[in-house]
């Protein structure tokens, strides 16, 4: 059984009704946290995640909000504080792709990805930090005043042809995360990024759904398997807990070695 090291802490996980967000929400719930399962579409999937978390004896509710809309993000935090008195952990996970060759990319494709992946993280983190500062440290729950985990990507450092909007959003998250960690370290607010490589979720189905695609993907991954949301869930629990108390401003790569550049294994 998982260690219950997040008992009495309240976590908001954005985009928690699918893929990595779902895996993270379930892992935080299993570690004892009250979990807000944010979703923007497919309420049924969000309710399934809520029920799974409740099966561990933890509390969970689903809250609808588009993370790129300021009023909806503010409302999500207000509903959370009304129900659970505060927020201790934010996992900024919601994200999407709208891929196109750069010279064919529309402004709408560019803007949507920046709005959701980057501005959405700004809006949620700002509300979280406002609430952390209002509440202050509660030593019975955590030595930190609050924890923010930004879902970045290996593409915060690996350029990605055909995905300039996505890679730019993740590069932006790196600076957003580090600037927040720098600005609020003295208030004991910890801010870190998880940088996944290839994780088996709907966002990258075309990269793993056929044997040909999977084998091609494996040429990029020394550890020779695709990641699963549970891999990310375990890291999120660690980063949300006091076990990682001296870690802030860090990008933690969880990628089966993708960022050691397998292409150079035979000399480049
Ligand atoms: P996914 O498509 O399964 O999940 C994305 C989630 O974000 C969904 O729940 C979706 O509804 C939600 N979402 C999209 N727009 C939203 C909005 N405006 N407001 C609220 N929620 C919104 O994909 P995933 O792979 O689980 O992706 C989760 C995060 O992980 C993303 O930030 C993605 O960039 C990142 N990531 C994924 C991989 C991977 O290999 N799967 C690798 C690196 C980073």
């Amino acid at each position: 059984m998982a260690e219950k090291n997040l008992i009495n802490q309240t976590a908001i996980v954005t985009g928690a009704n699918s893929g990595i967000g779902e895996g993270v929400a379930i892992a935080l719930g299993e570690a004892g946290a009250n979990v807000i399962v944010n979703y923007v579409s497919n309420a049924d999937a969000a309710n399934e995640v809520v029920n799974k978390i409740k099966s561990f004896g933890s509390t969970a509710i689903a809250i609808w909000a588009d993370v790129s809309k300021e009023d909806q993000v503010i409302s999500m935090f207000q509903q959370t504080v009304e129900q659970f008195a505060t927020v201790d952990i934010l996992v900024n996970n919601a994200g999407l792709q709208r891929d196109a060759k750069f010279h064919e990319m529309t402004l709408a494709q560019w803007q949507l990805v920046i709005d959701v992946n980057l501005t959405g993280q700004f809006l949620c983190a700002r509300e979280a930090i406002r609430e952390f500062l209002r509440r202050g440290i509660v030593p019975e729950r955590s030595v930190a005043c609050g924890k923010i985990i930004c879902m970045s990507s290996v593409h915060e450092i690996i350029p990605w042809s055909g995905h300039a909007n996505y890679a730019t959003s993740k590069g932006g998250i790196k600076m957003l995360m580090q600037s927040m960690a720098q600005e609020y370290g003295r208030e004991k607010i910890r801010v870190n990024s998880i940088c996944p490589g290839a994780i088996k979720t709907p966002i990258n189905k075309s990269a793993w759904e056929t044997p040909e695609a999977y084998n091609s993907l494996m040429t990029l991954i020394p550890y020779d398997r695709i990641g699963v949301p549970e891999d990310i869930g375990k890291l999120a629990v660690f980063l949300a807990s006091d076990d990682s108390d001296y870690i802030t401003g860090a990008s933690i790569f969880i990628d089966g070695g993708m960022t050691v550049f397998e292409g150079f294994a035979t000399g480049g």
Side-chain angles (χ1 to χ4, degrees), residues 32-250:
N34 310 314
V35 183
I36 286 70
V37 176
N38 161 253
Y39 69 101
V40 72
S41 58
N42 197 351
D44 288 348
N47 288 328
E48 272 177 39
V49 178
V50 164
N51 289 336
K52 174 92 184 178
I53 293 168
K54 285 181 176 169
S55 74
F56 304 127
S58 296
T59 308
I61 58 168
I63 298 184
W64 175 86
D66 179 336
V67 296
S68 68
K69 301 287 188 295
E70 185 176 30
D71 56 337
Q72 295 177 25
V73 169
I74 290 172
S75 166
M76 173 167 69
F77 276 79
Q78 280 170 346
Q79 291 174 62
T80 304
V81 171
E82 272 163 28
Q83 184 130 355
F84 296 103
T86 192
V87 179
D88 302 279
I89 299 156
L90 167 68
V91 184
N92 256 336
N93 167 77
L96 45 72
Q97 291 180 210
R98 289 294 180 273
D99 309 332
K101 293 289 287 178
F102 184 75
H103 66 282
E104 291 166 354
M105 189 175 285
T106 64
L107 178 58
Q109 288 171 321
W110 171 267
Q111 198 66 58
L112 179 65
V113 171
I114 298 298
D115 283 353
V116 173
N117 294 15
L118 185 56
T119 306
Q121 294 219 7
F122 158 71
L123 289 170
C124 292
R126 191 186 60 177
E127 291 316 301
I129 288 176
R130 286 174 174 169
E131 174 55 22
F132 298 162
L133 295 175
R134 184 198 67 75
R135 178 206 353 105
I137 297 173
V138 181
E140 302 75 45
R141 288 209 298 271
S142 175
V143 295
C145 184
K147 283 87 53 158
I148 296 177
I149 300 168
C150 301
M151 203 55 70
S152 184
S153 166
V154 291
H155 295 294
E156 76 167 42
I157 58 164
I158 302 179
W160 204 11
S161 165
H163 307 73
N165 47 2
Y166 183 84
T168 302
S169 73
K170 298 300 184 182
I173 288 169
K174 177 177 188 294
M175 272 297 140
L176 174 67
M177 177 279 288
Q178 289 183 316
S179 299
M180 291 190 292
Q182 189 187 66
E183 195 163 341
Y184 295 101
R186 288 180 195 284
E187 279 76 28
K188 297 279 175 280
I189 294 171
R190 294 194 297 111
V191 192
N192 293 290
S193 285
I194 293 178
C195 301
I199 309 300
K200 193 174 183 183
T201 75
I203 210 172
N204 58 0
K205 198 169 176 207
S206 61
W208 50 261
E209 67 181 340
T210 66
E212 296 73 30
Y214 187 85
N215 290 336
S216 166
L217 179 64
M218 286 310 113
T219 65
L220 301 175
I221 304 176
Y223 206 61
D224 204 28
R225 75 164 170 89
I226 194 166
V228 289
E230 291 76 11
D231 292 317
I232 310 296
K234 289 176 205 165
L235 177 55
V237 169
F238 172 65
L239 286 176
S241 77
D242 286 350
D243 290 344
S244 60
D245 188 54
Y246 206 47
I247 302 179
T248 193

